[in-house]
Every structure is written in C-alpha cells, then in structure tokens.
Amino acid sequence: MAIWQYLLIVVPENSIDKNCNIFEDNETEFLPDTNSYWENFVGSPNYIISELDQILPRAHWSTDTFVSWKGDDKNNEDNDGHISLTDDKSQIEEFIFRIDLRKESNITNTLHSILDLCKKHNFVLIDLKGKIFEPNLEDILESIKTSNAARFLNDPMQFFEDLSKNNSNETRT
C-alpha cells in the first residue's frame, strides 16, 4: 500500500452492526478477517467482479480466487482493489479497495464508480479507524481528509515527524 492511498474495506450492510469496530478484537498486525461478514451474502461474486472490471483494469497477478485490479500508477492513478473468493468461487471472503489521493479524478471518477457499485449491492465501507460509512462521498469525506494518506500529501515532513513520535491517526498506515 502506497502512503497516498486511502483504504476502505467493503462488507454487506446487513452483516454488520453500525456500532461495531472490526479492529477492536483484531490481534494481528494485519487487516481484520472479514469472511464472516460475507457468509450470508446472496449476490453474485461474478457480477460484482464484472462491474469492477468496468472501473479498474484487472491486475496481471489476479487469480480465480484472488481477483485484483490495479490502476496506472505512472499516471498518478494508483487505485487498486481485490476480492478474495472461497475455493469454489461461490462466495466473497474479502473486498478491499484503495484510492490514490494524489489526483482529483481518482475521487471524482474511480471512487464515485466504486461507491455506486457499493450502493447498488447494499454494501457499507469501513475505514482504517474502524468507522462504518454508507457508500456516499459526503459520508466518508472527513475520513479521507484526516487519513494518513491525506496528511502525508498535505505536509510530508510533518507526517513523518508525527509518525516518528508514533502519532498516527489510523490503525494501519
């Protein structure tokens, strides 16, 4: 993950309590496991994957069960995402995407398109602080503005000074 990327975890809205913090019980240094949130999802993973193929180019390392997308990082479009599927490819286990905050069109085009997909499938978004959002830009804008990615882009030196003092405002950087 590049420092200029803002990460969101996607889960079905009906699978999570809005007061839940998925990071609370996470005892690893990695993102929390979300496969239990997808257990009762009845939508088509192939349909969602097909929709994401229309938003971002498929990454060359993508597999049948770990489908990945990667934007053009040479053009400051370092947007990416992945959907992890069960071995039989019938169920989503994880859906994560990251938006490159260096370029406005990444938000106005890519993020908006992914948010529309999330609305259509009744998904909610979880930021690295554990806050749960409806898939509306207005709802996540404050999270974006206070993210480590935005803080880095606004003032890289201050960001690293704060980081050296262990003063990050996100669970993960």
Side-chain angles (χ1 to χ4, degrees):
M1 178 171 160
I3 189 62
W4 49 78
Q5 290 178 313
Y6 173 75
L7 182 144
L8 286 166
I9 300 167
V10 180
V11 297
E13 182 177 29
N14 64 358
S15 71
I16 192 163
D17 177 350
K18 299 281 186 188
N19 297 316
C20 168
N21 184 334
I22 66 171
F23 290 99
E24 268 179 11
D25 297 325
N26 186 29
E27 296 178 3
T28 74
E29 58 187 72
F30 303 104
L31 292 173
D33 184 10
T34 60
N35 61 349
S36 64
Y37 297 108
W38 290 96
E39 287 175 353
N40 296 316
F41 178 67
V42 293
S44 166
N46 289 332
Y47 187 66
I48 295 164
I49 289 167
S50 172
E51 288 180 289
L52 280 165
D53 283 339
Q54 302 305 309
I55 300 169
L56 288 168
R58 186 81 63 102
H60 66 84
W61 58 83
S62 192
T63 69
D64 287 346
T65 57
F66 191 81
V67 186
S68 300
W69 295 267
K70 183 70 172 169
D72 181 5
D73 58 345
K74 292 180 184 85
N75 195 29
N76 289 343
E77 295 171 353
D78 193 11
N79 307 299
D80 61 39
H82 74 263
I83 290 179
S84 180
L85 301 171
T86 55
D87 289 339
D88 66 1
K89 299 177 240 164
S90 67
Q91 192 68 37
I92 295 174
E93 292 183 318
E94 181 177 69
F95 178 0
I96 292 174
F97 68 91
R98 298 179 291 210
I99 297 297
D100 183 342
L101 298 184
R102 295 177 294 172
K103 193 172 174 183
E104 184 179 336
S105 63
N106 293 325
I107 294 172
T108 57
N109 297 336
T110 307
L111 180 58
H112 268 286
S113 296
I114 294 173
L115 293 175
D116 288 344
L117 179 149
C118 290
K119 284 178 200 171
K120 180 178 180 181
H121 295 283
N122 297 312
F123 297 153
V124 292
L125 310 163
I126 306 168
D127 71 5
L128 287 174
K129 298 170 197 155
K131 187 159 170 108
I132 301 169
F133 301 95
E134 294 293 324
N136 300 306
L137 184 58
E138 301 77 33
D139 291 347
I140 63 172
L141 202 50
E142 188 60 31
S143 174
I144 291 172
K145 288 178 182 178
T146 61
S147 69
N148 282 345
R151 288 177 54 233
F152 170 78
L153 291 171
N154 287 333
D155 190 344
M157 293 308 295
Q158 184 63 52
F159 173 80
F160 285 115
E161 287 174 20
D162 290 346
L163 193 61
S164 71
K165 298 174 191 168
N166 200 23
N167 191 18
S168 171
N169 69 349
E170 291 179 351
T171 303
R172 306 280 184 270
T173 55

